[in-house]
Amino acid sequence: MNDDRPLTRLDMLRFARRVVEHQAARQLALMDRWIADEERREAERQRRLAVRQAAPDWLIERALSGRGAVYVHVGGCTSAGSRARGAGREQAIRALTEGGITPCPLCRPDTVLGILE
């Protein structure tokens, strides 16, 4: 721009347009980040939901040493640790009755399975 002449109304309007264009671009970038964040949160929620729905009906939790079992859990029990593995109904019943494995005191799989002590 030439510094010798004063700004015209047209110059000021063009400047105002550039300012608005810049602000709009920044706001759109911000909105795009918000949308991407929300899409990531929704994808994670869907993934957790799919994992929860795919949880086995029964879990047998192994000891820290990996030898032997510690607890039998109902599938989806919040106290089942990372050492818990899926099991079938018959396997859970055998573990409780013949294997002498303790039922989880939180989810009470023995009650759910109908095993009375």
Side-chain angles (χ1 to χ4, degrees), residues 13-33:
L13 287 171
R14 286 183 177 144
F15 175 76
R17 185 187 188 289
R18 284 194 310 271
V19 168
V20 169
E21 185 178 345
H22 177 72
Q23 288 175 340
R26 289 184 63 190
Q27 290 298 315
L28 285 173
L30 180 62
M31 293 289 286
D32 289 342
R33 279 198 314 267

Side-chain angles (χ1 to χ4, degrees), residues 1 5 7-8 36 41 47 50 53 66 74 85 93 95 117:
M1 190 169 275
R5 64 179 182 89
L7 290 176
T8 66
R41 279 192 291 271
R47 187 195 65 75
Q53 290 173 344
V74 173
R85 300 292 177 249
I93 291 172
E117 295 182 23

Side-chain angles (χ1 to χ4, degrees), residues 33 86 96 99 101 113-115 117:
R33 279 198 314 267
L96 289 169
I101 301 172
L113 287 167
I115 299 171
E117 295 182 23

Side-chain angles (χ1 to χ4, degrees), residues 3-114:
D3 292 333
D4 296 338
R5 64 179 182 89
L7 290 176
T8 66
R9 182 170 169 80
L10 185 57
D11 292 332
M12 289 187 279
L13 287 171
R14 286 183 177 144
F15 175 76
R17 185 187 188 289
R18 284 194 310 271
V19 168
V20 169
E21 185 178 345
H22 177 72
Q23 288 175 340
R26 289 184 63 190
Q27 290 298 315
L28 285 173
L30 180 62
M31 293 289 286
D32 289 342
R33 279 198 314 267
W34 289 346
I35 289 169
D37 290 344
E38 189 60 31
E39 287 172 342
R40 276 191 295 277
R41 279 192 291 271
E42 180 61 22
E44 178 61 23
R45 189 185 73 76
Q46 291 294 330
R47 187 195 65 75
R48 284 192 314 266
L49 182 62
V51 167
R52 191 177 324 133
Q53 290 173 344
D57 292 336
W58 311 100
L59 300 168
I60 297 180
E61 185 174 350
R62 304 304 247 163
L64 283 173
S65 65
R67 300 177 192 180
V70 182
Y71 287 115
V72 175
H73 299 274
V74 173
C77 176
T78 57
S79 71
S82 61
R83 298 180 316 271
R85 300 292 177 249
R89 179 181 173 82
E90 288 74 29
Q91 187 180 4
I93 291 172
R94 272 196 315 273
L96 289 169
T97 57
E98 298 168 14
I101 301 172
T102 308
C104 170
L106 181 66
C107 64
R108 301 298 303 175
D110 52 345
T111 305
V112 177
L113 287 167

